[in-house]
Amino acid sequence: MFKRIVLLGLALAIILAACKAPAGVTPTSKKGRVPLAPEGTLLRKIQDRGKLICGTKYDIPTFGYLNPKTNQVEGFDVEICRAVAEYIFGDPNAVEIKEAISKNRIPFLKEGVVDIVASTMTINEERLKEIDFSIVYYVAGQSLLVPKNSPISGVDDLKGKRVGTVKGSTSEKNIRAISEKKGLNIEVVLFDTYSEAVAAMDAGRVDAVTTDDIILYGFVRQEPDKWKVVGGRFTVEPYGVGVKKGEKELLEVVNTVIKELKTSGRWKEIYKKWIPSDVVPEPPPDDWREAK
Ligand code: GLU
């Protein structure tokens, strides 16, 4: 009889042990949805730290903008950072936003200054050699910002003109290529940030500023009496979240979050909140090569 009770107890203990979650899949918090990642991965480092460090811009009203009224960074890119933090920790505020401008966002990922970058960054072959990218979360296109009274109405009017843009951007490469191809002899003037380029245009030092339309529309929204966007979209710029190469657990988390934003309807809410447009389109396809 005693032997039977011992055996029964033993069997029960084995069954209970088998039912318990195996090591490595303990949730990090009651509300977070990500199992504890293996030691040595960047995702695990983030989980142990208890917050995500995300690089965004600080001077782009639509995507990443340090609002002087609230002292908070806000915009489409910031919403992506918060959604990733919410997924990992169950808390959209478990995130530290750091400024990552165009020329330092890839070095910041490589050096571990930030965990992810959501900074109006276009996915392309060249950058994919250095970092990994999430699926596409927005598609922009390069355009021109000019003073309201400017006669410039498109790239062909830029012959011999001074055009401001930013170091480390696709905008610089694209405008140089267009100038070369069309023989426009554009003088490209480089700045660290787009707000500096716009300030230079305000001071009459450049005739136009070129970058993604959605960045330019942000400046128009801030000073509608001063600027206008002209020339239409002359490139396709699919935005992805940058992640250090090889951190597949973190990349998977970011991709899951973007997928959920797109399918749940939240992507449309974010779009409506930050993009100055009357119509809210369908979310873009995941694959950057399919971006239009
Ligand atoms: N999306 C372009 C890029 O990634 C231009 C905007 C920017 O500099 O962030 O280079």
Side-chain angles (χ1 to χ4, degrees):
M1 176 69 179
F2 177 70
K3 226 169 149 184
R4 236 187 248 169
I5 291 171
V6 171
L7 275 175
L8 209 73
L10 213 69
L12 213 72
I14 289 168
I15 291 166
L16 278 174
C19 287
K20 252 181 77 182
V25 291
T26 328
T28 46
S29 83
K30 279 200 189 88
K31 292 183 286 169
R33 289 167 53 196
V34 182
L36 202 58
E39 292 265 10
T41 63
L42 180 52
L43 179 56
R44 177 61 177 266
K45 192 173 156 193
I46 296 165
Q47 290 173 316
D48 289 345
R49 190 199 295 133
K51 70 173 176 192
L52 175 77
I53 303 177
C54 186
T56 74
K57 292 204 169 67
Y58 273 23
D59 65 332
I60 306 298
T62 42
F63 272 74
Y65 180 67
L66 179 57
N67 187 333
K69 285 187 201 133
T70 59
N71 209 28
Q72 296 281 314
V73 190
E74 60 185 32
F76 204 121
D77 280 332
V78 179
E79 304 268 359
I80 301 278
C81 298
R82 292 200 183 284
V84 175
E86 185 171 12
Y87 187 76
I88 299 175
F89 299 110
D91 178 4
N93 295 318
V95 62
E96 181 185 333
I97 307 287
K98 276 197 181 155
E99 185 176 18
I101 59 175
S102 300
K103 68 170 183 185
N104 69 20
R105 51 197 169 182
I106 291 178
F108 272 14
L109 285 173
K110 287 182 161 177
E111 292 157 17
V113 178
V114 297
D115 302 319
I116 61 172
V117 159
S119 179
T120 65
M121 183 155 57
T122 298
I123 309 171
N124 61 28
E125 261 347 317
E126 194 186 334
R127 289 174 177 165
L128 277 164
K129 286 185 193 137
E130 298 195 70
I131 56 166
D132 288 334
F133 276 101
S134 71
I135 57 173
V136 175
Y137 66 89
Y138 188 83
V139 181
Q142 191 165 336
S143 196
L144 303 172
L145 185 75
V146 294
K148 209 112 197 232
N149 60 0
S150 169
I152 297 169
S153 68
V155 280
D156 293 332
D157 298 329
L158 296 176
K159 203 169 172 82
K161 299 274 189 228
R162 291 164 67 88
V163 177
T165 191
V166 158
K167 292 170 197 159
S169 67
T170 54
S171 319
E172 179 201 347
K173 293 217 162 97
N174 296 336
I175 198 69
R176 284 195 199 285
I178 290 167
S179 176
E180 177 88 26
K181 198 174 150 205
K182 295 190 164 214
L184 294 175
N185 207 14
I186 295 170
E187 186 184 339
V188 179
V189 186
L190 294 179
F191 299 88
D192 280 342
T193 62
Y194 292 105
S195 49
E196 285 169 309
V198 174
M201 184 159 66
D202 208 8
R205 289 194 282 125
V206 294
D207 304 296
V209 169
T210 188
T211 187
D212 301 341
D213 52 356
I214 202 55
I215 294 177
L216 302 176
Y217 282 123
F219 291 110
V220 173
R221 189 153 76 177
Q222 267 187 336
E223 295 180 303
D225 298 335
K226 250 184 190 165
W227 315 120
K228 62 181 178 185
V229 175
V230 296
R233 280 184 168 191
F234 46 86
T235 69
V236 178
E237 310 287 331
Y239 291 177
V241 174
V243 178
K244 189 177 184 173
K245 237 190 190 334
E247 297 293 342
K248 60 178 194 306
E249 301 80 6
L250 181 57
L251 186 63
E252 200 182 309
V253 162
V254 175
N255 279 338
T256 305
V257 170
I258 297 173
K259 263 208 154 72
E260 281 193 15
L261 290 178
K262 286 178 173 181
T263 52
S264 67
R266 246 181 98 189
W267 186 92
K268 287 191 174 179
E269 284 167 27
I270 296 173
Y271 188 100
K272 216 173 175 165
K273 190 166 165 194
W274 297 107
I275 307 298
S277 158
D278 296 335
V279 279
V280 180
E282 287 306 312
D286 294 344
D287 189 333
W288 64 278
R289 291 174 208 87
E290 286 169 25
K292 286 198 272 286

